[in-house]
Amino acid sequence: MNLQGSIVALVTPFKDGKVDEASLRGLIRWHLEQGTDGILVLGTTGEAVTLEKEERKRVMEIALEEAKGKVPLIVGTGTNNTARVLEYTKLAEEMGFDAALIVTPYYNKPTQNGLYAHYSYIAKSTKIPIILYNVPGRTSVNLLPDTAAKLAEIENIVAIKEACGDIKQITELLLKCPKDFIVLSGDDFTALATVFLGGKGVISVVANITPKEMATLMKYALNGDIAKANELNFYLYPLYKAMFIETNPVPAKHALWLMGKIETPEVRLPLAGLTEASAEQVKKLLKEKYRLI
């Protein structure tokens, strides 16, 4: 499994309150055509916390049917209930996913010792490669570099999606973890810097909208072509901002709907659709700068 480059944190399309299977298949096929290096389903951007068990399983089945063996396939299995995380992770292993992405438990606010115990318990109870996921802005807990480095010593904990947004912390993470441990940016804003520091790529929101460009950006960065990477990063920067004008994945879904890639921009409560002002900003940017609509 080659975990590097642009890995899309794929949205889960909905229609009339249900998973829009046709649109989901279409998105996966489009990403394969556009050169996306890996696909993550049921992550934060995939609204996984709002999906029922059977819906989760169906999304996983579709991803495997469309992309198994073509690119690395990752599935989010994290919740704030360790027993449930183990259940979801074992299912991912049984179904044949390449890796499981496990977010730090949210709301509970575990200590660093608690985080270590949580992840080590899951890792030692499964064989599937595990990607740690640190996103303190959503979970209210920060997986610190010392804890991540200790977890990286466990054989099947192979990578981290680091979405702390702090270059200092990312630097310390890269310094303290084993050389073969994979560090992926969890923010489009820090993707280029993370790769230049020694990371291997990004799990990206913006790749939902511009998959070819994000894949190209990561290739430039990984190949050390600083000038071309910087140029493309600056070009995409307004889109990075627009995709977080309101809570992710609301702007991304709206953009994909405007582009005709999904049938509706529907999100599940407690999320709500874009406000009129935000929708107008996204539409203007897609039309005038990126010519996607």
Side-chain angles (χ1 to χ4, degrees):
M1 178 179 58
N2 190 18
L3 274 180
Q4 68 171 29
S6 175
I7 300 166
V8 65
L10 197 68
V11 302
T12 304
F14 297 127
K15 184 179 178 182
D16 300 326
K18 298 179 181 179
V19 174
D20 182 352
E21 296 188 7
S23 290
L24 179 59
R25 290 184 188 277
L27 287 175
I28 294 170
R29 292 170 185 172
W30 181 49
H31 278 281
L32 294 175
E33 292 167 1
Q34 293 290 301
T36 293
D37 297 298
I39 294 172
L40 163 70
V41 294
L42 300 178
T44 305
T45 308
E47 295 174 82
V49 292
T50 70
L51 271 69
E52 301 297 334
K53 288 184 184 180
E54 286 306 309
E55 291 178 313
R56 292 177 62 96
K57 188 175 181 181
R58 187 62 188 138
V59 168
M60 293 165 72
E61 287 171 347
I62 290 169
L64 289 165
E65 288 167 10
E66 296 292 340
K68 179 65 175 173
K70 298 175 182 177
V71 294
L73 274 180
I74 307 162
V75 59
T77 62
T79 77
N80 63 344
N81 177 327
T82 302
R84 183 63 53 82
V85 177
L86 181 56
E87 178 187 349
Y88 287 162
T89 306
K90 282 185 172 180
L91 178 63
E93 184 173 35
E94 290 165 7
M95 292 181 69
F97 273 81
D98 296 304
L101 179 77
I102 303 179
V103 71
T104 54
Y106 39 86
Y107 189 76
N108 311 56
K109 296 187 74 172
T111 62
Q112 297 301 304
N113 285 341
L115 289 171
Y116 181 83
H118 170 76
Y119 280 114
S120 59
Y121 173 74
I122 302 300
K124 290 171 183 176
S125 302
T126 58
K127 294 181 180 178
I128 189 171
I130 288 171
I131 304 171
L132 310 173
Y133 178 15
N134 187 40
V135 57
R138 283 199 183 243
T139 64
S140 82
V141 63
N142 189 8
L143 180 67
L144 296 176
D146 284 337
T147 309
K150 188 178 175 184
L151 285 166
E153 296 173 2
I154 299 172
E155 185 177 3
N156 58 326
I157 296 181
V158 300
I160 185 170
K161 176 186 177 183
E162 180 54 83
C164 65
D166 182 348
I167 295 299
K168 179 182 176 183
Q169 181 165 320
I170 294 168
T171 302
E172 289 187 10
L173 183 67
L174 285 157
L175 279 169
K176 291 177 177 180
C177 288
K179 296 300 180 185
D180 61 349
F181 185 71
I182 298 166
V183 175
L184 300 166
S185 171
D187 295 305
D188 292 299
F189 294 99
T190 63
L192 184 58
T194 298
V195 172
F196 283 163
L197 286 167
K200 295 300 182 184
V202 62
I203 297 181
S204 170
V205 173
V206 168
N208 278 284
I209 313 305
T210 52
K212 187 175 183 179
E213 289 80 1
M214 281 305 300
T216 301
L217 170 58
M218 288 295 96
K219 283 182 175 63
Y220 286 150
L222 288 164
N223 290 334
D225 196 330
I226 297 173
K228 286 183 179 178
N230 274 331
E231 182 181 4
L232 190 48
N233 191 55
F234 285 131
Y235 171 72
L236 290 172
Y237 183 77
L239 197 57
Y240 300 167
K241 292 174 67 178
M243 289 305 100
F244 289 87
I245 195 170
E246 292 184 23
T247 304
N248 172 52
V250 180
K253 280 191 157 181
H254 193 87
L256 286 167
W257 171 64
L258 290 173
M259 293 164 62
K261 296 297 182 182
I262 58 178
E263 285 197 44
T264 79
E266 189 178 317
V267 292
R268 282 191 174 171
L269 291 170
L271 294 181
L274 283 185
T275 61
E276 188 175 339
S278 295
E280 187 56 39
Q281 288 187 54
V282 170
K283 183 178 180 180
K284 183 178 181 182
L285 188 66
L286 292 182
K287 185 175 182 180
E288 295 181 5
K289 181 171 179 64
Y290 297 105
R291 308 202 183 280
L292 292 171
I293 57 175

